Amino acid sequence: MNKYAPILLFVYNRPKHTKRCINSLLASPISADSILYIFSDGAKGEKDSTSVADVREYIHSINGFKEVIIDENYQNFGLASTIIYGVTKVVNTYGKAIVVEDDLILAPAFLSYMNEALEMYKDVDEVVNINGHVLSSPIRFKENFLVSFADSWGWATWKRGWDLFESDGSKLLQEIEATGKSSRFNMCYHFTRMLREQINGKNNSWAIRWNASIFTKGKLSLNAGIPLAVNTGFGKDATHCNTPDLFSVNLYTGDIHPQLITPTVENKVSRHKLSINYMLRTSYLNKLRIWLLNKINE
């Protein structure tokens, strides 16, 4: 068994983002001892074919990792299907995985934190996921805390965790509503609406189903209380969110290590703080502020 978990990188048609993501991973001293799996989805049509080809040309030139394994689709399956396929494939082989997407920039400590946490919590059944992203705000979190919530921007899991993934959104929504936990699941955001839209075919989010799978099973995620990942993919070219800086963070560049938290229960104060963060960052006033700043800077 490899000492370090394999890194799964999902790419599509953004070569500049992909290069930034790779460079940030290579800033970690343990990247040279880590296997990198790259999953490249096929182009949706002629419009994307050139940029997909550019990404593929670049990923075949990557070095600096212990091994680079490339898995290319020759038709477009979409991000959700590709991630579900990729994570399932790798955890079934290695028992664990670290998952990133091409629009992320990772902190120098990201890989070491994820690997240390995967080892530290490997036999703690209540914890099934590790989150490396948290929104920057005046609200301060502990360096490590547990909540029943999955953040899709830089995360890790084990096979025993991913085995709980429920692909049927209807089952997840029914259980959340039957237990009267919609408000708690939402955390002042619209996660229930996102799940309903996935069911109705308005989105195909794997992330909302992963979040709901953890929540309905009563399982927990270990969270780094400082941002170890930043999403740079928002803007006019983004597939799902075109509001720049809505979820921006100040990437942490120092050192951080996971802690074994006991008892293994959700930190209710941290869940409340996350709720406030979502409420503040997605409020109409904040969206208006960001829009005005972007107009001024055009």
Side-chain angles (χ1 to χ4, degrees):
M1 182 65 70
N2 285 36
K3 178 180 179 182
Y4 298 119
I7 306 161
L8 282 64
L9 171 61
F10 293 87
V11 303
Y12 181 50
N13 67 342
R14 295 188 284 187
K16 290 182 180 179
H17 288 79
T18 303
K19 290 175 184 178
R20 287 200 297 261
C21 181
I22 289 294
N23 288 336
S24 70
L25 287 170
L26 288 171
S28 168
I30 67 173
S31 59
D33 297 313
S34 302
I35 297 173
L36 176 66
Y37 274 83
I38 305 178
F39 294 88
S40 171
D41 201 10
K44 294 176 183 177
E46 191 64 30
K47 178 184 176 183
D48 291 340
S49 60
T50 300
S51 52
V52 168
D54 289 343
V55 169
R56 291 185 173 181
E57 180 180 3
Y58 167 67
I59 62 178
H60 281 278
S61 73
I62 292 172
N63 53 50
F65 297 90
K66 181 178 181 179
E67 185 178 3
V68 178
I69 301 170
I70 297 173
D71 189 315
E72 295 176 343
N73 290 336
Y74 287 95
Q75 65 185 86
N76 183 266
F77 289 97
L79 180 61
S81 294
T82 305
I83 285 187
I84 293 169
Y85 159 75
V87 175
T88 302
K89 176 181 178 178
V90 173
V91 298
N92 284 344
T93 302
Y94 295 91
K96 57 187 176 181
I98 298 168
V99 186
V100 299
E101 296 175 40
D102 57 4
D103 53 9
L104 297 180
I105 295 177
L106 295 315
F110 173 80
L111 288 181
S112 59
Y113 180 88
M114 290 291 167
N115 276 286
E116 289 176 26
L118 284 167
E119 180 64 24
M120 185 177 290
Y121 283 86
K122 65 181 180 181
D123 297 319
V124 182
D125 288 342
E126 296 89 347
V127 177
V128 299
N129 179 60
I130 304 160
N131 292 326
H133 175 270
V134 66
L135 289 172
S136 296
S137 81
I139 299 170
R140 293 291 177 261
F141 294 90
K142 292 183 177 181
E143 281 199 355
N144 294 273
F145 61 91
L146 297 173
V147 292
S148 185
F149 168 71
D151 192 309
S152 62
W153 296 337
W155 57 283
T157 191
W158 305 262
K159 182 182 186 303
R160 62 173 175 80
W162 190 247
D163 283 347
L164 301 177
F165 177 78
E166 173 57 66
S167 61
D168 188 338
S170 298
K171 290 182 180 179
L172 294 165
L173 182 61
Q174 184 178 12
E175 186 170 349
I176 291 169
E177 293 183 334
T179 54
K181 294 181 179 179
S182 295
S183 179
R184 184 166 175 269
F185 177 64
N186 281 331
M187 292 200 308
C188 295
Y189 195 54
H190 51 253
F191 291 123
T192 300
R193 189 180 81 192
M194 287 174 63
L195 185 57
R196 188 173 289 108
E197 289 175 348
Q198 186 276 322
I199 295 165
N200 294 331
K202 293 182 179 180
N203 72 56
N204 192 26
S205 173
W206 65 271
I208 190 62
R209 288 175 282 171
W210 179 224
N211 186 19
S213 295
I214 289 175
F215 182 81
T216 55
K217 298 294 190 302
K219 298 297 185 179
L220 300 168
S221 297
L222 174 69
N223 295 257
I226 44 185
L228 300 181
V230 58
N231 190 313
T232 64
F234 297 130
K236 63 181 181 180
D237 297 325
T239 302
H240 299 294
C241 183
N242 58 10
T243 307
D245 301 325
L246 185 60
F247 295 109
S248 63
V249 303
N250 299 315
L251 192 67
Y252 182 71
T253 57
D255 203 20
I256 180 175
H257 300 278
Q259 297 172 339
L260 189 61
I261 300 171
T262 56
T264 316
V265 296
E266 182 172 72
N267 186 315
K268 294 181 180 178
V269 172
S270 293
R271 187 176 193 91
H272 180 64
K273 287 181 177 180
L274 285 174
S275 299
I276 294 173
N277 253 359
Y278 273 106
M279 179 175 64
L280 293 175
R281 294 297 287 270
T282 61
S283 68
Y284 173 77
L285 287 177
N286 191 46
K287 289 179 179 179
L288 178 61
R289 178 186 68 84
I290 292 169
W291 181 83
L292 287 171
L293 285 173
N294 280 287
K295 280 294 182 183
I296 292 170
N297 291 325
E298 281 182 354

